[in-house]
Amino acid sequence: MQANNTRGFLWSDVETRTLLNIWGEQDIQVALDGNFRNSFVYRDVARRLLATGFERTPEQCRVRIKSLKRQFLLAKEGNIRNNGQYHKICKFYDTMERILSNRPTIDPQEFIDVGAGMEDTADGLEEDGEDGQDTYSGSMGEFPMPAETEVKLEYPTVPIPIPVKVTVGNNSSSARPNNIQSATTLNSSRPKRPRKRRANFPMEKLMEQFLEQSAQAEESFYRMEEQRLQAEERRREAEHSRELHMLHMLGQMFSGISSASPVSAAPSSRTVPPAHGPVYPSASPTCTRGQSSHLRHTSPQAGCFHQESRPLNSDPSALVFERFSCLGSTSYRGMDEETLSLVKTMVPPLTSKKHKGQDGRVGIIGGCKEYTGAPYFAAISALKVGADLAHVFCTRDAATVIKSYSPELIVHPVLDGPNAVEEIEKWLPRLHSLVVGPGLGREEALLNTAKEVIEKSKARDIPIVIDADGLWLVSQQPSVIQGYRKGILTPNFMEFTRLYEALHHEPMDSSDHQHSAMQLSVAMGNLTVVLKGERDLITDGSKVLSCSVGGSGRRCGGQGDLLSGSLGVLAHWAYASSAGNFKSPNPSMLAAFGACSLTRQCNSQAFNQHGRSTTTSDMILEIGSAFKKLFES
C-alpha cells in the first residue's frame, strides 16, 4: 500500500484523480442524488480511498469534492463568457464534466456565493454527528461503519479568491424582506453609474508597466551597489596604505636599533640585539658569536633562537622576518599579530571591476570510491575563503557522490580513466594553484597519475600544496616535488615522521620539532613545510614561524582538508601580490601562516558553539566570520 504523507489540505494529482474515480462511480452518484444526510456516503468514499493507499477523513473528501465542483463551475461559466479562456482554472475539468454530465443541472451561484465554512446543500452534504454505525447498501455490498470521531480540519478556513464576476440580485438571502421595496425605490431614483470592467483593460499594457518599473528598480539597485563597492574599495586602499606606512615606520625603527649595535667579530656579518617582538627562529640558531652557521638549536630550555647574521633589508615587510628573540607567550602573540598584518596585505580587495576566476581557480587532485569527503572539504573551503572556481579531479565512482554534496563544485570523473593525465592537463592552464592528496587513496595507478600531474604543474610554475595521500607519494618518491620553490607540504605528526625517516634514514628526534622541521625542509630543497600540531610550525629551512592562533582540544577528520583547500587559495594570492609588494619574505610561508590561522580560528569558533560534538562541517560554516575577524578587521 502506498504511503501518504500529505495529511493536510494539500492533495496530489494522483490522489485527486483517485478520489474522482471513486466519487464518480455509479453507486456513489446514486446515493448522493436526493439524499440530504449523506455523511455515510463520504465515509464509504474515504474507506475506498484508503484501500487504494491514500488515508483521508470523510470530511477532507467532502471538502475536496466541493472545491473541485466549485472550480469546475467557475471554469465552465468562464468558458461560456470568454470563449474557453478559463478552461485552465480547473485542472480536472474533463473528468468533472464526464461525471456531472449525467447529474441534474447545478446552480453555479450556489458554489460561488457560499463560503468555505457554510454547509453545501447541493448534494445534501452535512455533518450528521451520529455516534452509531451507519450502513450503506449499494452495488458494492454492505460495509460496517466505525464510530465517528471529531474531525480536526487541516485546511484554511478562507478560500483562495478567484477573480470571477459575481452578481448578487435583489432576491439575495442576506437582504431583509421589509427592505426590498425601499431598496428598489432607491435604486430606481438614483442613476446607475457604469462599472469599470477590468477585463477590458489590456493585459499587455499592465505587463509593460510592470516590466518598466522592474527595470527602473533594478537599475537603481545596481547604481547604489556600484557606489557602495567604490566606497568600499577606497576604504580598503586607504587601509592598505596605512598598513604599509606603519610597516615602513617599523622598519626604520629596527634599522636604527641595528645601526647602534656593536659590530660582530665576523667581518662579513653583524648581529641584532634582542627585540620585544615576534619570534622567527632561523636556520643558523647560535647564541654565541663566532660560531659557524649550521642547523642547530641551542638552549631549548630558554627557547632562544638567533638568526643568521646578514645586513638588514630595507624592505619594511622583510624586516619583520629578520628579527629574533626568546620564545614565550607574549612573543608568540606578537608574532601572530604582526604576521597576520602581512597576510592582510596580500588579500585582494573586492571590486566590481574584476571578472569571474580572477581571484582564484583551484584544482583538487583526489577523491576515490572510499574517500569522497576529503576533496569536498578542500574544494568548498577554497570557495569559502574567496576562490571563484574549484575543480575536483576524482575517480568515476566518487564523482556523483562529491557532486551531490554541493552544486558549486566542478567535478571531473577522469582520475581513473585511461587518459587521465591528458584529461587533467588540458585544464591546468586555467588553474592558479593545485592541491594534491585529499582522498586520493594509495592505489598505484592513481599515485602515478598524481605524480605526472605534479610534473605538468611544476612546468607551469603554479603553487602546489601536497597533503594526505599525496604525502605518501612524496615519502615513496621525494624527487616528485623536491626543490620546487612553490611546493608546500602539510603533514601531521605521523606523516611528518614518515617523511623524515624516509629522507634521513634515521629516527626523528621528537624532543625538538622545530629543528626536525627545518632539517626536513632543507632535505626537500627548502620547500615550505607545515608541521601541524599544538602549535603549527612553518619553515622553509631558513626561518620558522609558529602559529598559535585560536584552536581547541577538539580534533576531527577533515580539518587538514580545510587547511589545504584554503592554503591553495592563499598561495595564489601570496605569489600574485609578491610580484609588486613583497621581495624578501617567502610567499609560501605567508600563505601557510594565513591558512593555519584561519583553520585554528574556525576550530575555536565552532568549538565554542558545539563543544565535543564539533565536526569539520561546523568549522566550514565559520570560515566567513573567521576570515573577516583575522584579515578584514
Side-chain angles (χ1 to χ4, degrees):
M1 186 172 71
Q2 304 181 37
N4 180 26
N5 297 325
T6 56
R7 297 300 304 276
F9 65 91
L10 298 177
W11 288 67
S12 64
D13 290 350
V14 176
E15 192 175 5
T16 301
R17 293 188 185 280
T18 305
L19 174 66
L20 287 176
N21 291 337
I22 296 173
W23 180 72
E25 293 179 1
Q26 185 67 28
D27 56 335
I28 297 295
Q29 292 296 314
V30 170
L32 289 173
D33 285 339
N35 291 325
F36 181 77
R37 304 177 63 83
N38 55 16
S39 61
F40 66 92
V41 180
Y42 281 97
R43 283 199 295 271
D44 189 21
V45 171
R47 187 162 51 252
R48 297 188 190 185
L49 188 63
L50 178 62
T52 62
F54 300 103
E55 183 179 358
R56 291 287 181 173
T57 65
E59 177 64 17
Q60 289 176 330
C61 296
R62 183 185 73 84
V63 171
R64 181 58 174 164
I65 291 296
K66 176 180 176 180
S67 174
L68 292 172
K69 289 164 68 176
R70 183 181 295 111
Q71 294 178 19
F72 168 75
L73 294 174
L74 290 174
K76 189 171 184 179
E77 183 180 3
N79 288 336
I80 297 174
R81 296 181 181 179
N82 298 277
N83 299 326
Q85 295 182 5
Y86 287 81
H87 187 283
K88 61 182 180 180
I89 292 180
C90 182
K91 183 185 295 186
F92 307 98
Y93 186 90
D94 296 335
T95 305
M96 294 292 297
E97 186 176 27
R98 176 179 56 80
I99 296 174
L100 297 177
S101 60
N102 297 325
R103 296 281 303 278
T105 304
I106 302 174
D107 183 12
Q109 192 67 29
E110 176 184 352
F111 294 96
I112 298 174
D113 294 338
V114 177
M118 301 177 61
E119 292 295 329
D120 188 350
T121 59
D123 284 328
L125 308 177
E126 49 83 33
E127 282 291 320
D128 52 11
E130 295 179 0
D131 295 331
Q133 293 184 351
D134 295 334
T135 58
Y136 166 63
S137 299
S139 60
M140 300 298 293
E142 295 187 357
F143 300 90
M145 305 297 177
E148 286 195 8
T149 58
E150 182 181 357
V151 178
K152 181 178 179 181
L153 302 183
E154 300 180 4
Y155 51 87
T157 59
V158 180
I160 300 175
I162 301 177
V164 178
K165 179 181 178 183
V166 179
T167 304
V168 180
N170 292 330
N171 56 350
S172 175
S173 60
S174 61
R176 296 184 178 179
N178 55 0
N179 293 336
I180 295 177
Q181 184 175 0
S182 60
T184 305
T185 306
L186 181 61
N187 291 336
S188 61
S189 62
R190 185 176 300 173
K192 294 183 178 180
R193 291 183 297 178
R195 293 186 178 180
K196 295 181 180 180
R197 299 187 62 182
R198 297 197 177 190
N200 295 333
F201 197 80
M203 184 61 68
E204 294 79 3
K205 187 171 295 185
L206 283 174
M207 185 60 66
E208 183 179 354
Q209 292 179 0
F210 172 74
L211 293 177
E212 183 178 356
Q213 293 176 358
S214 299
Q216 292 176 356
E218 185 176 3
E219 183 179 358
S220 176
F221 169 77
Y222 283 128
R223 191 184 305 111
M224 294 176 61
E225 186 69 12
E226 184 176 0
Q227 294 175 358
R228 186 188 66 80
L229 291 176
Q230 291 175 357
E232 182 70 14
E233 184 177 0
R234 289 193 296 268
R235 185 191 66 80
R236 287 181 178 275
E237 290 177 354
E239 183 179 357
H240 182 70
S241 301
R242 186 164 55 253
E243 290 177 351
L244 289 180
H245 179 67
M246 293 176 62
L247 288 174
H248 183 68
M249 293 178 61
L250 186 65
Q252 289 180 345
M253 181 182 65
F254 282 100
S255 178
I257 295 176
S258 62
S259 62
S261 62
V263 181
S264 173
S268 60
S269 63
R270 57 187 177 89
T271 60
V272 183
H276 300 286
V279 181
Y280 297 97
S282 72
S284 180
T286 61
C287 287
T288 306
R289 297 180 187 177
Q291 291 184 354
S292 60
S293 298
H294 59 278
L295 293 174
R296 186 165 55 89
H297 171 217
T298 62
S299 184
Q301 295 80 6
C304 183
F305 293 88
H306 289 251
Q307 187 182 18
E308 181 180 0
S309 300
R310 57 181 177 181
L312 293 176
N313 196 305
S314 59
D315 188 357
S317 59
L319 289 171
V320 180
F321 280 80
E322 297 292 337
R323 289 183 291 153
F324 71 95
S325 71
C326 294
L327 298 178
S329 60
T330 305
S331 299
Y332 277 117
R333 190 179 302 113
M335 175 187 68
D336 292 343
E337 293 176 356
E338 295 194 13
T339 309
L340 283 176
S341 66
L342 290 178
V343 178
K344 290 180 183 179
T345 60
M346 75 183 190
V347 176
L350 296 176
T351 173
S352 58
K353 298 179 181 179
K354 292 183 178 180
H355 55 79
K356 181 179 68 175
Q358 189 172 345
D359 275 345
R361 298 184 292 270
V362 181
I364 311 294
I365 305 296
C368 61
K369 182 178 181 180
E370 291 81 9
Y371 308 109
T372 58
Y376 162 73
F377 286 144
I380 201 67
S381 299
L383 291 179
K384 292 279 188 179
V385 169
D388 293 338
L389 297 171
H391 296 259
V392 179
F393 300 91
C394 60
T395 64
R396 187 175 300 275
D397 292 334
T400 303
V401 181
I402 297 174
K403 189 66 176 178
S404 67
Y405 293 152
S406 173
E408 286 89 358
L409 306 183
I410 305 173
V411 182
H412 307 272
V414 299
L415 195 57
D416 55 348
N419 301 320
V421 178
E422 291 77 5
E423 292 292 332
I424 300 176
E425 183 180 7
K426 66 183 181 181
W427 289 94
L428 291 181
R430 308 185 188 183
L431 302 180
H432 291 131
S433 62
L434 194 69
V435 180
V436 181
L440 180 63
R442 297 182 182 179
E443 293 186 12
E444 184 177 358
L446 299 181
L447 293 176
N448 289 335
T449 300
K451 175 184 177 182
E452 295 187 36
V453 172
I454 292 174
E455 295 292 343
K456 302 288 184 181
S457 303
K458 287 164 57 179
R460 305 200 64 84
D461 195 35
I462 62 175
I464 303 175
V465 180
I466 299 183
D467 184 38
D469 293 322
L471 295 172
W472 171 267
L473 172 63
V474 174
S475 66
Q476 304 300 313
Q477 305 179 51
S479 61
V480 69
I481 196 68
Q482 195 169 22
Y484 183 58
R485 66 184 184 90
K486 292 187 179 181
I488 306 174
L489 308 181
T490 60
N492 57 28
F493 182 76
M494 295 301 297
E495 294 165 339
F496 179 83
T497 303
R498 187 187 306 118
L499 282 171
Y500 185 92
E501 294 178 355
L503 288 168
H504 292 85
H505 306 290
E506 61 180 8
M508 184 187 70
D509 182 9
S510 59
S511 63
D512 189 356
H513 291 170
Q514 294 184 0
H515 180 60
S516 300
M518 296 176 70
Q519 283 186 320
L520 177 62
S521 176
V522 171
M524 290 298 299
N526 291 98
L527 263 67
T528 298
V529 176
V530 181
L531 175 55
K532 298 176 286 189
E534 180 183 1
R535 291 195 307 265
D536 297 333
L537 300 178
I538 307 162
T539 180
D540 61 356
S542 61
K543 293 176 282 291
V544 175
L545 297 179
S546 177
C547 179
S548 57
V549 175
S552 73
R554 172 61 172 158
R555 298 292 184 269
C556 53
Q559 290 184 220
D561 304 312
L562 191 157
L563 186 146
S564 61
S566 58
L567 180 53
V569 185
L570 294 175
H572 163 58
W573 291 352
Y575 279 100
S577 62
S578 67
N581 295 334
F582 300 109
K583 299 299 181 183
S584 179
N586 187 341
S588 294
M589 292 188 66
L590 280 180
F593 187 88
C596 291
S597 302
L598 180 64
T599 304
R600 298 173 70 91
Q601 183 65 29
C602 291
N603 181 268
S604 176
Q605 293 181 191
F607 184 79
N608 289 337
Q609 296 185 35
H610 305 282
R612 189 177 294 274
S613 64
T614 301
T615 62
T616 303
S617 299
D618 301 324
M619 294 173 57
I620 290 175
L621 296 177
E622 301 294 331
I623 290 179
S625 59
F627 188 93
K628 185 176 182 180
K629 180 177 181 180
L630 292 176
F631 308 128
E632 295 181 346
S633 59

